[in-house]
Amino acid sequence: MSTVQSNWDGLPVVGYPDADGVPTDVFPLPAEVPVDIPEVPGRHRAEHFESEPPAWAGQYLPYSVGEPGRAATEVVSVPDPENWHRRDSVIDGFVVRPEGGPPLAEVRAASLRGLSHRAYGRTRQDEYAYQLTPDGRHLVLCVADGLSSGSWSHYAAEVAARTGVTLLVNALAHTEPAELDWDRLMREVAGHIVAFARKRVPGGAELEVSEVAEWMSTTAVYAVAALGDEVMDVHVGSVGDSSAWVLAEPGWVPMADVKNADADVHSSAVGALPLVPAQPVVRRHAQVAPGEVLVLMSDGVGDPLHNGTGEVGRFLAHSWRNPPDDLAFAAQVGFHKRSYDDDRTVVAVWPLPRLPR
């Protein structure tokens, strides 16, 4: 059985003292002392700013899809005083190029604290992780979404994402993706969440699994993308409503049943670790070719996306046909839409065409 050891202690606090600034009028120069200030070309001359174009370009406007809602402009973001070292926003963008070889894929990832958590001073409870196997054959990904009902659910999401990805990387050393035991993976991840809680929750040594779930629970979606061929073979396993999609020419193709797709009344009830599902994890498989995108997301994006045919689906499809700049990607993940104020997390992979040798 694979094991993972993690140091979950916080990093030491590093202080950044303010520099002492002295106002210029505290020690004024005597009037009788001449002050010779050389003229700097263009400085203090209004015509300079009028006649020369600025040496910069660009602007930023938040993305909105439909009605953004009042929260988009009225929420005042406040930090979580219990989680100073957990960041509001995490962003990554890179090319997968094993051992200096040709580029095989582009990856973008972003996890953003939602408007609700910003307003109420609660930490971001989503997490993502990724890792390339040592042989460079597979890219392993995860998006995890801690349930807001548990005050420590962000820890559950961290364990599910980081430990789960490491367990998959270890398993792929001797198992092909099609043969992965997803049920065993979920049990092992659940066990790590329980072990964490029993060690770190006050008085947690005797907690039952159901009691751990009240403190910390998380959904998780994992993907293993094979990089050997131009068309990526992708295998997915998940618990809960974090989802995996393929963005292809026809549009959004879900790799699992769409949440509340046919329900007259939408439900927010989801399965979540450390409670292991009673039913076996359903194996999902897809192929993703150059020009298409593999997308893993938490329900903060999945819920407004729904089945991909609405305005959110059209907006994201237009934005992600090609890999955007990583900061632009994060801004797109954080689009405003009325009543959707949950944390937002997306990991996207664009397979690249292979150049002829």
Side-chain angles (χ1 to χ4, degrees), residues 32 34 38 106 162 183 214 218 222 230 250 259 261 282 295 301:
E32 66 273 17
E106 288 258 14
R162 301 176 188 180
D183 296 294
E214 294 177 2
T218 186
Y222 300 94
E230 187 174 72
K259 178 180 174 183
V282 178
V295 185
V301 178

Side-chain angles (χ1 to χ4, degrees), residues 22-265:
V22 179
T24 56
D25 59 351
V26 173
F27 299 105
L29 291 173
E32 66 273 17
V33 177
V35 180
D36 184 16
I37 302 176
E39 181 180 355
V40 178
R43 183 170 292 180
H44 308 303
R45 295 211 309 266
E47 64 271 17
H48 167 72
F49 297 102
E50 296 173 357
S51 61
E52 296 185 16
W56 60 87
Q59 62 178 343
Y60 171 69
L61 292 174
Y63 289 93
S64 294
V65 181
E67 171 57 46
R70 293 172 54 190
T73 56
E74 295 185 6
V75 162
V76 176
S77 181
V78 294
D80 183 342
E82 302 298 324
N83 294 280
W84 288 111
H85 297 293
R86 184 163 173 80
R87 303 281 67 84
D88 278 4
S89 304
V90 184
I91 304 168
D92 283 299
F94 58 91
V95 175
V96 179
R97 181 180 290 172
E99 298 182 356
L104 304 181
E106 288 258 14
V107 178
R108 300 289 183 269
S111 185
L112 313 175
R113 190 163 68 130
L115 288 173
S116 177
H117 283 166
R118 290 177 183 269
Y120 291 104
R122 295 193 62 185
T123 192
R124 174 177 54 88
Q125 293 184 302
D126 282 7
E127 191 62 76
Y128 67 80
Y130 54 80
Q131 187 174 339
L132 192 65
T133 55
D135 60 11
R137 295 178 58 208
H138 300 100
L139 179 64
V140 183
L141 312 159
C142 176
V143 165
D145 179 0
L147 270 61
S148 58
S149 57
S151 59
W152 282 37
S153 287
H154 55 291
Y155 289 125
E158 288 184 15
V159 174
R162 301 176 188 180
T163 304
V165 163
T166 301
L167 291 170
L168 280 170
V169 168
N170 293 344
L172 289 166
H174 51 76
T175 306
E176 290 300 313
E179 304 302 322
L180 286 169
D181 189 339
W182 291 105
D183 296 294
R184 177 178 178 178
L185 172 73
M186 301 306 176
R187 290 194 300 271
E188 290 191 18
V189 172
H192 281 280
I193 294 172
V194 171
F196 177 93
R198 287 175 176 168
K199 181 179 179 181
R200 297 292 297 275
V201 170
E206 304 301 324
L207 288 176
E208 298 293 332
V209 175
S210 59
E211 295 172 313
V212 170
E214 294 177 2
W215 278 88
M216 47 192 293
S217 295
T218 186
T219 70
V221 56
Y222 300 94
V224 175
L227 301 173
D229 298 321
E230 187 174 72
V231 177
M232 290 192 317
D233 239 18
V234 179
H235 293 265
V236 168
S238 65
V239 170
D241 58 2
S242 293
S243 55
W245 302 72
V246 177
L247 176 56
E249 186 59 37
W252 291 92
V253 181
M255 292 187 66
D257 296 334
V258 176
K259 178 180 174 183
N260 292 319
D262 302 315
D264 293 330
V265 179

Side-chain angles (χ1 to χ4, degrees), residues 278-345:
Q279 299 298 320
V281 176
V282 178
R283 300 172 179 270
R284 308 287 182 177
H285 172 258
Q287 291 187 315
V288 186
E292 301 175 343
V293 196
L294 170 68
V295 185
L296 274 59
M297 63 181 68
S298 66
D299 70 341
V301 178
D303 282 357
L305 177 66
H306 191 45
N307 61 10
T309 60
E311 56 187 1
V312 171
R314 293 192 298 272
F315 160 66
L316 295 179
H318 172 79
S319 300
W320 296 346
R321 285 299 180 187
N322 296 299
D325 174 84
D326 49 357
L327 296 179
F329 179 80
Q332 291 153 2
V333 169
F335 67 88
H336 294 305
K337 184 171 177 61
R338 187 175 64 181
S339 79
Y340 292 101
D341 56 6
D342 199 1
D343 295 341
R344 304 276 185 85
T345 301

